[in-house]
Amino acid sequence: TAYSSCIWTGAQFNKFIKDFLTPTFLKDNIKTKVILGEDNNFTEAPVVETLNDSAASKRVDIVAAHAYDNNVMPFPVSKSKGKSIWQTEVSNMKDNDPSITDGLKWAKLMNDQITQTNVSAWLYWWGACYKTDGESLINLDVDKQT
């Protein structure tokens, strides 16, 4: 990627969860939930190997994905394993569009991912921001104070 990031394969996710995270959490009695995934596109593909590994899958609570491709996918493996599904990041990444057309686009995507994929969390990158590059759902004009 062109920004600071960590790109892991499904095998790397699986090895980390099974061989490192799970034993450490057991040893230190850590009970927190684990979110796994967060591919830029709306897919469960990077975590399927971990979910299909019975030892590793026990330690994954939430499967997460971004939605920069604006897709709606079923996440069948996540559902079959009883995992919560979260859409954790999306934005326009273009010039800010304050029109009702843009608002309806995001409302439809949110509705479809909630009703068809059964996501239990849906997050826009920034709810409100001064930037005009589409990163925020609500644009704050600092000059006009609107």
Side-chain angles (χ1 to χ4, degrees):
T1 64
Y3 52 87
S4 295
S5 188
C6 179
I7 302 172
W8 286 14
T9 65
Q12 290 169 319
F13 273 135
N14 189 43
K15 181 171 180 57
F16 174 75
I17 295 290
K18 183 168 57 175
D19 297 342
F20 298 98
L21 186 128
T22 298
T24 301
F25 278 22
L26 285 171
K27 178 179 74 70
D28 295 339
N29 198 30
I30 298 171
K31 306 269 189 228
T32 191
K33 290 187 177 191
V34 173
I35 301 172
L36 187 65
E38 294 206 302
D39 193 85
N40 270 346
N41 296 317
F42 195 67
T43 179
E44 70 176 351
V47 302
V48 167
E49 187 170 343
T50 303
L51 295 178
N52 284 329
D53 181 317
S54 61
S57 183
K58 289 180 206 172
R59 203 56 204 96
V60 176
D61 301 288
I62 301 162
V63 173
H66 297 172
Y68 286 100
D69 58 359
N70 295 304
N71 277 335
V72 178
M73 305 292 290
F75 285 54
V77 178
S78 301
K79 288 179 187 174
S80 74
K81 305 295 182 182
K83 306 302 179 184
S84 292
I85 303 165
W86 289 10
Q87 185 288 111
T88 54
E89 184 180 315
V90 70
S91 70
N92 190 21
M93 301 304 286
K94 298 176 187 166
D95 289 338
N96 187 48
D97 179 359
S99 73
I100 188 66
T101 301
D102 192 61
L104 291 172
K105 168 189 163 182
W106 297 113
K108 180 174 179 1
L109 181 63
M110 180 190 299
N111 176 75
D112 291 350
Q113 289 179 340
I114 289 171
T115 61
Q116 295 175 37
T117 307
N118 300 107
V119 300
S120 54
W122 197 94
L123 300 138
Y124 201 87
W125 175 237
W126 280 0
C129 176
Y130 63 90
K131 293 183 169 187
T132 59
D133 61 0
E135 286 186 76
S136 65
L137 192 58
I138 300 167
N139 182 249
L140 304 175
D141 187 329
V142 293
D143 295 330
K144 295 179 185 174
Q145 296 188 353
T146 61

